[in-house]
Amino acid sequence: MPDNIDPRTMRRTAPWSSEAVPAGESTPLPAVPAHSATAGSSRTVAHWALPVRRWAYRQHDAASARKPDVGDIDPMLRRRLSPLARLALSAATACGPLPPKCRVVYASQHGEIQRTTQMLDALVRGEPPSPTAFSLSVLNATPGVLSIARDDRSAINAIAALDDTLGYALLDAWTQHREAPDSPLLVIYAFEAPPACFGPTSRQIDDSANALALLIESDATARLTCTMHLPTAREAHAERRAQCQSLVTSLLEGGSDLWRGERHDWQWEWHEDARHADV
């Protein structure tokens, strides 16, 4: 149980912050810059930092016929991978070489929504779903493929949290890193827009499929500082960028970037010194 949870009331006793972690488990965090949130308009809910060894970003290129490199995946299984899974595994592979044992936090707002929709259409036509298609449609299927390819039975967490999915994946990664700082961890985020039959499901301008991966290791010198704010008053739907695009902006340009969501505001602060794969 996290140190800041009162076991008697099961309530949080203080905002999560790696400043409260015992020495040696995490690097103390810098204060949140004054310009990162409008005074009086939000309050900090959580504040933490992750040591990043490498990161990689991939985006679907409709103009290219070349499929993303997914590393040493069995050819039979590789042929069954969806475009989203290929993007995610390509980003994960680009963060390599990965440690022999590496936990995974896999995050996707809609998961394998295209494959799932195809199975639903087949059921409507009276056709039985393919067992292989079903097994590859669940949220943790992609990291499962990576686990099989690497013969790594380390823990896998799968997260979906609407527009805040990436932020909560990073929070989950920090809680795991805090509990076991010597165990490497790979965060994989993958996004694919739902088919048109679902109607408007996102306020994002860019609905192209994309994937981001970050390798977390305790001795990495780069730091990604994350802050979750709870807004108290503002116009709804203020942010049209995807949360991932905000984080990638911080990673590429360095420094800070603020993303405003429907439920929370998220602040990223990138302290450059990590190697990353070409975008």
Side-chain angles (χ1 to χ4, degrees):
M1 180 179 297
D3 294 340
N4 65 327
I5 299 296
D6 187 335
R8 295 167 299 178
T9 63
M10 296 303 292
R11 293 181 179 273
R12 188 180 303 163
T13 58
W16 285 358
S17 170
S18 60
E19 293 174 354
V21 179
E25 290 192 11
S26 183
T27 301
L29 299 180
V32 179
H35 65 272
S36 65
T38 304
S41 65
S42 65
R43 65 182 179 87
T44 299
V45 176
H47 183 53
W48 69 97
L50 290 167
V52 179
R53 175 73 67 193
R54 286 179 289 274
W55 65 272
Y57 176 71
R58 294 289 183 265
Q59 189 169 22
H60 174 66
D61 184 2
S64 175
R66 182 181 177 183
K67 295 181 178 179
D69 179 20
V70 296
D72 297 327
I73 305 295
D74 180 80
M76 289 290 291
L77 186 56
R78 187 186 309 164
R79 285 196 290 270
R80 297 188 177 98
L81 293 176
S82 69
L84 180 67
R86 284 182 173 274
L87 276 179
L89 292 174
S90 176
T93 301
C95 282
L98 299 177
K101 299 297 180 183
C102 186
R103 296 168 294 168
V104 174
V105 174
Y106 181 79
S108 182
Q109 181 175 349
H110 304 295
E112 292 283 346
I113 188 66
Q114 299 286 347
R115 190 188 297 272
T116 302
T117 304
Q118 292 170 5
M119 289 194 302
L120 292 174
D121 288 340
L123 287 173
V124 170
R125 296 191 299 268
E127 302 171 4
S130 161
T132 301
F134 177 79
S135 66
L136 292 175
S137 69
V138 296
L139 187 58
N140 62 352
T142 298
V145 169
L146 181 64
S147 172
I148 294 172
R150 289 173 24 83
D151 192 22
D152 182 2
R153 298 186 179 183
S154 299
I156 296 173
N157 276 13
I159 293 176
L162 301 177
D163 289 347
D164 295 316
T165 293
L166 176 56
Y168 279 111
L170 294 172
L171 180 57
D172 182 69
W174 177 76
T175 59
Q176 291 196 49
H177 174 69
R178 183 176 185 270
E179 294 292 330
D182 294 330
S183 178
L185 189 147
L186 181 67
V187 177
I188 307 173
Y189 169 81
F191 172 84
E192 183 177 42
C197 63
F198 288 94
T201 58
S202 174
R203 56 192 171 85
Q204 300 171 6
I205 296 176
D206 186 1
D207 275 346
S208 59
N210 60 84
L212 174 68
L214 303 98
L215 178 60
I216 311 301
E217 290 187 305
S218 58
D219 61 345
T221 55
R223 288 292 184 275
L224 175 63
T225 302
C226 310
T227 307
M228 183 199 302
H229 300 287
L230 182 64
T232 56
R234 70 143 190 273
E235 183 181 355
H237 308 294
E239 184 73 61
R240 296 296 304 277
R241 291 181 303 167
Q243 190 180 50
C244 182
Q245 297 303 320
S246 171
L247 178 54
V248 170
T249 296
S250 180
L251 293 172
L252 286 175
E253 299 179 2
S256 176
D257 198 80
L258 177 66
W259 184 83
R260 299 186 182 277
E262 293 186 34
R263 289 156 294 277
H264 296 95
D265 293 343
W266 299 80
Q267 174 98 23
W268 328 109
E269 186 82 28
W270 178 239
H271 306 277
E272 179 71 67
D273 197 21
R275 292 178 292 164
H276 66 274
D278 294 335
V279 176

